[in-house]
Amino acid sequence: MNVVERPDREGGPVGTGCPDDMPVARELAADPTTGRPCQEGLLLSDLFQPLGALPALAAQALRCGCWADAFLASAAAVQVTEDAMAGGTGLGQRSWWRQLSAELEGPGLAREAVLTAVSYALGAADLAAENSPFGHALAVAARAQAELRDVLAPGAAGTATPDQRTVAGLAEQASAAVERLPAGVRSQVLRLPSCFRSFDQHFEDVRELVAMAAIRWPARSRPLAFVGIRTSGSYLAPLAAAYAKAAGYADVSVATLRPGVRPSSAAREVVAKVASRSGLVMLTDDPPVTGRSVARVAARLERMGVKPDALVLLLGLPPGQASLSPGLRRYPAVLLPWERWYVHRLLAPGQVAQTVERLAGDCRVVSCAAQERPMAVHREHIRLRYDLVLERPGAGGVRHEQLVVEGTGLGFFGRHALAVTRALGGAVPPVLGFADGLVYSYERPGAGRRVDVTQPSTARAVARYVKLRHDAMPAAGDPTGTMGGRLPLWEAASRALAPLLGRPAPLMRMGLLVPFTRRLLATGDASVVDGHMDAASWSCDGEHLTKRDAATGAFWNFDLACYDALYDLAAAAVEADLAELRDEAGLTWQAVSGPQPVRGSAGVAAKRYADAWKEISGSAPDEERWLTYRLVYLWDLLRRQRVHRELWERAASRAVNAYFAATFLDDMISKAVQSDRAPCALDLDGCLEGGALGFPATTAPGALALRALKAHAVPVLLSTGRSVGEAAERCNAFGLPGAVGEYGAAMYQSDRRTVTGLATDQEIRGLDMERSQLEQRGGVEVSPFYRYSIRVWRRAGGQRRVSAEELGRLGGQWGLVVGENQTDITCRSADKLSGLRELVAALGPGDGQSADEFLSLAVGDSTSDIPVLRAAGLGIAPANCDAAVRASGAVVVGSGYQAGVAEAVGVLLGHVPGRCPLCRPPVMAPSRRQMVALLSVRSSGRLRPGGFVAELARSWGSKRVEP
């Protein structure tokens, strides 16, 4: 067994002692809330430290002899200062323009013209800022911090021990330079380096890269400039320079650049000096995926005078990648494959055994065997399990333990996991200690059991965990307001909601959505959130619920910085929602022509989390935050490809519809009365619901129409081509008696909670056979939610719908409905009209059965709705209806989508919905009026942001009141 031994340059592992019966995290010799250093280094619960605190942290690390932490803190200070010099932080004017230019990148003459103008404007602004007194002060501070960083780098790298007097003097100068900066700059927080926080790169990997480069370019007299791409380059480049100096290179310098940002005068000077002397520029960064950032900075260096053959890429490669992208292959490169990263040596069983003995102190490892081989996880930490046999000398006997070793980051970035363990105690797995970027923890027996997150008991346990974490890990404040351009959660919220604004979104998002979401999600009760609430992160040993990965999600490479505990709860609620939907998709019940009971209740799992929070915290979640956090979490899952698009659509629809139901309909459900009036039938897609956000959901006019119908005792039935499960969701959310789904092939009754198939058994069996054949066919994807029809999409390509020609023989045997984004295969024996007749008959007297007419009102927009429109007393179509509907003789109102539905309901009732004492909408708080107006900006099909702008203006001068 090969065992690699090396002294720990971070001061040794942080141990908690050998456990007795069940190991638990013990005293860690530091206060994680205040960040007071322990003997081994800094222990911080909040990693988003402001520039004003970084010099003090470096000084604390120096006092306890931890060169690595001192170097990381000083490198962070340089990064913050250099970004401030480039106007890349906060919500300043230059930051605004940089974000706009990034969003406008793409084809088109108009975009190119705007980008060119923005580029010139940014260049002029950068030059003016650099030459201003403020720019000079930043340059002085950056130079002072860089001098301290470069002196500390050899100590962190283990190549030399810096002179204490020199370090003390430079540290004092750096601290004084930061103190002279304005408060707005000192409040800017560091950017976390993915290399040493979110990935498992090690200082030794930098040493290996430099050693490989030294073999290829052995001339020690040749000048070298190590240029790091910020953020990670702020840490990697000075380390690489320290290793190069130790290897004998005499002329070594350091600079950092950020893609799309004008280099500072110091960086230009470094590059120009090396280029003029035929030196090498070594460009380093995180392991590249697309290589876009590296290519942009390399092109910038070429424009600064560096020849391509003198520009060397010094990079580690991510898992599963053997080479660089084609655009980078024109440059010489030194590459370190993932399989050769230093972390693999640390994970060798012999090395793990030695580390466990050092951490435990009084235990001997008899044997250590890995349960699996290291798995290559893309841009995430490695995690490995071991079977341990431990012996305590003199105690007699041995004990067996399950050990989990996982990466958390180097220095205080990784030691953050110990702060979380101390704060949360038994709510997280017991930790043995930390060493070399890895946390060693014991796994309780039976802890691998998966947890059903849809259960009420789980909801209460999760809510208790969120409350415990909020109370145990308070933060001094919420710094995310200063993190514009770095995708904090409020900025992600503006991106998740941006589709509402259509094509002008890049221009309007910063002016409208960013102020709204930033204000809405600001919290005065800040705490360090978990941020990693997926269902797989919970385990149960039969009695206790344990939270795994409790120290990775709050500070990681996927951004979404947040200090509001409610986000954790909302994320858990979304996971419960998705679990509920996956259960529905995986049901194996056979569709038949008779009634079947519905299992569960759609959307109830998510509501349980809100109820549990109210029970435990004493206050209900703020509805606007609750909705926004759920939408952002779903948006994040979709951008990271962690959820199927159909599941995303279903869960997001539930969230928005539940919000409108709570706003407009909750007070009406208790006032519901029996009615002899004939019911009305409303179509969903293109009528009661729109898709402005990328998924179907109602808006304010649609919800007001439902409120008015309820207030005036008109029963509302739904008639849709969507799955009967989705129709049932809407009935439960809006308090409706029933619905017809899948183009009339099935109906749902709310009072009986049953689904009844209306197609023939022969057709249903035939659909099952067709579904099986389509699932085996390449190129198409079949929805698992449709039982009485088939919904298919194209797997790849811009157009998702499948043409009738592609389906071949299916076109003659079955009905085909080709929509904008999907194609539906339907039964010919059923349609919406016959389904509605069956539903009205099943509901019985009191819900329209005894009325003279079948339907008082029908609203639809497509060919499948024409028979229903003709059978109703009032058949009305919104302005967005098909040409066939217009030709059928149906009345077409002037408004489209939900505004058209509201107009149609107004024709039936004789007044605009919401304009009479019976159906007047409830009084709303300003934040609710703003959210309702925002979600409804395209309720007529056209973008009409005036109402949202007016609501923003009404409360612009007032401060948001915390719920």
Side-chain angles (χ1 to χ4, degrees):
M1 183 181 303
N2 294 325
V3 179
V4 179
E5 296 186 33
R6 67 182 286 275
D8 184 7
R9 297 193 178 92
E10 297 180 38
V14 178
T16 59
C18 186
D20 294 323
D21 182 28
M22 175 53 64
V24 296
R26 294 179 178 171
E27 184 68 22
L28 300 175
D31 184 347
T33 302
T34 63
R36 181 162 52 87
C38 61
Q39 182 180 1
E40 297 79 7
L42 300 174
L43 194 66
L44 304 174
S45 61
D46 188 353
L47 294 183
F48 282 135
Q49 293 294 317
L51 173 61
L54 291 174
L57 288 177
Q60 289 176 349
L62 288 173
R63 285 195 293 271
C64 63
C66 185
W67 295 109
D69 279 359
F71 165 76
L72 293 173
S74 61
V78 177
Q79 171 265 303
V80 177
T81 310
E82 290 185 334
D83 275 342
M85 292 169 63
T89 58
L91 286 170
Q93 187 177 21
R94 284 188 290 164
S95 176
W96 193 98
W97 283 105
R98 291 194 200 286
Q99 293 183 62
L100 175 62
S101 63
E103 292 186 42
L104 286 176
E105 285 188 359
L109 292 176
R111 289 177 180 241
E112 289 181 10
V114 172
L115 283 174
T116 302
V118 169
S119 177
Y120 280 111
L122 286 174
D126 288 344
L127 183 60
E130 186 175 351
N131 294 325
S132 67
F134 173 60
H136 288 305
L138 284 173
V140 170
R143 186 163 51 252
Q145 297 291 342
E147 289 177 0
L148 175 62
R149 176 201 65 188
D150 294 343
V151 168
L152 291 171
T159 60
T161 301
D163 179 70
Q164 293 283 358
R165 285 188 178 180
T166 303
V167 169
L170 291 175
E172 186 176 346
Q173 293 176 20
S175 180
V178 169
E179 285 299 318
R180 288 193 291 267
L181 295 176
V185 176
R186 295 199 309 272
S187 66
Q188 297 292 327
V189 299
L190 64 85
R191 292 181 186 241
L192 297 170
S194 294
C195 57
F196 297 146
R197 167 58 189 170
S198 298
F199 308 151
D200 292 310
Q201 285 187 292
H202 197 279
F203 292 172
E204 290 294 325
D205 296 322
V206 183
R207 180 201 293 269
E208 180 72 12
L209 284 167
V210 173
M212 294 164 64
I215 294 173
R216 191 166 174 184
W217 292 278
R220 295 319 195 245
S221 60
R222 190 173 188 180
L224 299 181
F226 288 91
V227 176
I229 302 177
R230 293 199 298 271
T231 296
S232 289
S234 298
Y235 302 79
L236 294 170
L239 277 174
Y243 286 122
K245 290 177 182 177
Y249 288 92
D251 189 351
V252 180
S253 53
V254 177
T256 67
L257 299 177
R258 185 172 293 284
V261 177
R262 183 175 181 270
S264 66
S265 59
R268 295 196 302 271
E269 181 180 342
V270 167
V271 173
K273 179 180 177 181
V274 172
S276 66
R277 299 173 60 190
S278 301
L280 290 175
V281 172
M282 302 277 187
L283 185 59
T284 184
D285 192 20
D286 286 328
V289 179
T290 64
R292 183 183 177 193
S293 295
V294 177
R296 293 181 68 185
V297 174
R300 166 76 75 169
L301 289 170
E302 286 193 62
R303 294 195 298 272
M304 294 168 67
V306 180
K307 296 180 180 180
D309 60 353
L311 179 54
V312 180
L313 306 183
L314 210 66
L315 301 168
L317 291 178
Q321 187 170 320
S323 62
L324 295 175
S325 59
L328 296 176
R329 294 175 190 168
R330 62 191 297 258
Y331 304 108
V334 177
L335 307 175
L336 186 67
W338 180 76
E339 292 76 14
R340 291 177 56 188
W341 286 17
Y342 187 74
V343 68
H344 294 287
R345 298 187 226 175
L346 296 175
L347 291 171
Q351 184 65 51
V352 170
Q354 287 194 2
T355 304
V356 168
E357 288 182 348
R358 293 164 61 198
L359 291 171
D362 59 348
C363 281
R364 186 175 73 88
V365 178
V366 179
S367 69
C368 175
Q371 295 182 1
E372 62 221 336
R373 298 185 64 183
M375 297 291 293
V377 182
H378 180 63
R379 299 180 79 81
E380 290 186 14
H381 286 299
I382 198 167
R383 180 188 181 101
L384 218 58
R385 285 183 171 84
Y386 298 83
D387 291 317
L388 282 185
V389 178
L390 300 175
E391 179 184 46
R392 176 174 291 173
V398 297
R399 58 182 301 136
H400 297 264
E401 293 288 353
Q402 299 290 317
L403 180 75
V404 176
V405 183
E406 58 186 323
T408 58
L410 289 182
F412 64 81
F413 293 130
R415 209 176 288 110
H416 163 74
L418 298 184
V420 174
T421 298
R422 176 176 177 176
L424 301 182
V428 296
V431 168
L432 179 63
F434 169 86
D436 262 330
L438 300 173
V439 163
Y440 295 71
S441 59
Y442 291 107
E443 195 167 73
R444 291 188 177 98
R449 299 179 188 174
R450 294 293 293 271
V451 174
D452 185 356
V453 295
T454 65
Q455 294 302 311
S457 58
T458 305
R460 289 191 293 271
V462 171
R464 282 194 295 270
Y465 168 79
V466 173
K467 185 66 166 61
L468 167 68
R469 186 177 182 114
H470 169 267
D471 295 341
M473 301 185 68
D478 180 2
T480 60
T482 67
M483 297 171 69
R486 297 167 54 179
L487 202 66
L489 199 133
W490 56 262
E491 190 172 63
S494 74
R495 293 183 182 274
L497 296 170
L500 288 166
L501 303 177
R503 295 185 65 183
L507 290 171
M508 299 178 66
R509 185 179 70 82
M510 291 297 296
L512 291 180
L513 292 184
V514 163
F516 169 65
T517 57
R518 185 167 178 244
R519 179 189 179 98
L520 175 71
L521 302 181
T523 177
D525 189 15
S527 62
V528 178
V529 303
D530 187 295
H532 199 138
M533 301 295 288
D534 64 288
S537 66
W538 298 95
S539 63
C540 183
D541 60 3
E543 296 181 6
H544 303 97
L545 204 64
T546 302
K547 180 64 176 64
R548 299 196 298 260
D549 301 318
T552 58
F555 310 102
W556 67 339
N557 55 299
F558 291 111
D559 303 310
L560 300 186
C562 177
Y563 281 75
D564 189 351
L566 187 61
Y567 174 63
D568 280 343
L569 190 77
V574 169
E575 289 289 340
D577 224 2
L578 293 173
E580 198 175 62
L581 287 167
R582 291 186 182 101
D583 288 343
E584 181 185 334
L587 289 178
T588 57
W589 56 271
Q590 179 68 38
V592 295
S593 57
Q596 294 188 81
V598 176
R599 299 189 197 179
S601 183
V604 167
K607 187 176 183 301
R608 287 172 180 154
Y609 284 78
D611 293 341
W613 182 255
K614 182 178 180 180
E615 174 187 339
I616 290 168
S617 70
S619 60
D622 175 47
E623 291 286 351
E624 284 65 51
R625 290 177 187 239
W626 183 246
L627 171 64
T628 306
Y629 285 148
R630 290 172 70 184
L631 291 180
V632 171
Y633 187 76
L634 284 164
W635 173 85
D636 180 53
L637 291 178
L638 189 66
R639 73 163 176 147
R640 294 191 289 121
Q641 299 181 348
R642 295 300 181 90
V643 64
H644 189 278
R645 187 173 184 88
E646 188 177 15
L647 287 178
W648 170 77
E649 290 181 359
R650 291 283 302 271
S653 295
R654 285 182 174 186
V656 174
N657 284 335
Y659 176 77
F660 276 108
T663 300
F664 288 97
L665 301 176
D666 273 6
D667 63 326
M668 301 301 300
I669 294 176
S670 61
K671 300 178 183 179
V673 295
Q674 291 292 319
S675 171
D676 291 332
R677 300 189 65 170
C680 70
L682 305 179
D683 185 22
L684 285 179
D685 288 320
C687 293
L688 188 60
E689 295 184 342
L693 275 168
F695 54 84
T698 195
T699 60
L704 268 175
L706 291 177
R707 179 181 180 87
L709 291 169
K710 282 175 169 288
H712 294 278
V714 181
V716 181
L717 308 178
L718 300 179
S719 172
T720 180
R722 288 192 167 267
S723 70
V724 69
E726 292 174 87
E729 281 181 10
R730 274 60 172 185
C731 288
N732 296 336
F734 300 141
L736 309 181
V740 169
E742 307 190 37
Y743 300 97
M747 68 179 186
Y748 171 74
Q749 291 177 255
S750 298
D751 56 348
R752 298 180 182 179
R753 298 188 51 74
T754 58
V755 170
T756 303
L758 303 178
T760 65
D761 287 336
Q762 182 179 359
E763 282 182 311
I764 294 173
R765 288 192 296 270
L767 281 174
D768 287 340
M769 295 176 61
E770 298 289 0
R771 186 180 292 108
S772 298
Q773 293 179 16
L774 286 169
E775 288 172 346
Q776 298 173 9
R777 181 192 295 190
V780 298
E781 188 173 357
V782 182
S783 170
F785 294 104
Y786 288 72
R787 305 288 177 175
Y788 300 90
S789 62
I790 304 174
R791 174 158 289 191
V792 296
W793 302 277
R794 193 191 311 275
R795 282 189 182 274
Q799 190 176 28
R800 298 183 69 199
R801 63 186 178 190
V802 183
S803 66
E805 291 75 16
E806 292 177 273
L807 293 175
R809 63 181 180 82
L810 292 176
Q813 185 178 359
W814 307 97
L816 291 181
V817 180
V818 181
E820 292 183 4
N821 297 306
Q822 77 286 323
T823 300
D824 296 327
I825 302 169
T826 65
C827 298
R828 291 190 178 276
S829 67
D831 59 20
K832 289 184 178 181
L833 178 60
S834 62
L836 283 168
R837 291 191 183 278
E838 291 278 355
L839 177 60
V840 170
L843 292 175
D847 283 308
Q849 176 67 16
S850 62
D852 295 334
E853 52 191 15
F854 165 55
L855 295 171
S856 59
L857 170 68
V859 182
D861 68 328
S862 64
T863 304
S864 61
D865 297 310
I866 292 176
V868 182
L869 296 175
R870 288 173 174 167
L874 280 174
I876 299 179
N880 57 285
C881 64
D882 296 345
V885 176
R886 291 181 179 274
S888 70
V891 176
V892 180
V893 294
S895 303
Y897 298 93
Q898 298 79 62
V901 173
E903 193 172 339
V905 171
V907 174
L908 175 68
L909 301 179
H911 66 273
V912 176
R915 295 292 180 84
C916 82
L918 282 177
C919 60
R920 183 179 295 120
V923 177
M924 303 180 197
S927 59
R928 178 154 302 187
R929 292 199 306 268
Q930 293 167 9
M931 178 63 78
V932 167
L934 172 61
L935 295 175
S936 306
V937 293
R938 289 173 63 186
S939 57
S940 65
R942 297 181 178 180
L943 177 61
R944 301 183 185 277
F948 177 58
V949 173
E951 290 296 340
L952 282 181
R954 287 177 61 181
S955 59
W956 199 262
S958 60
K959 184 177 180 180
R960 171 169 164 76
V961 178
E962 290 296 321

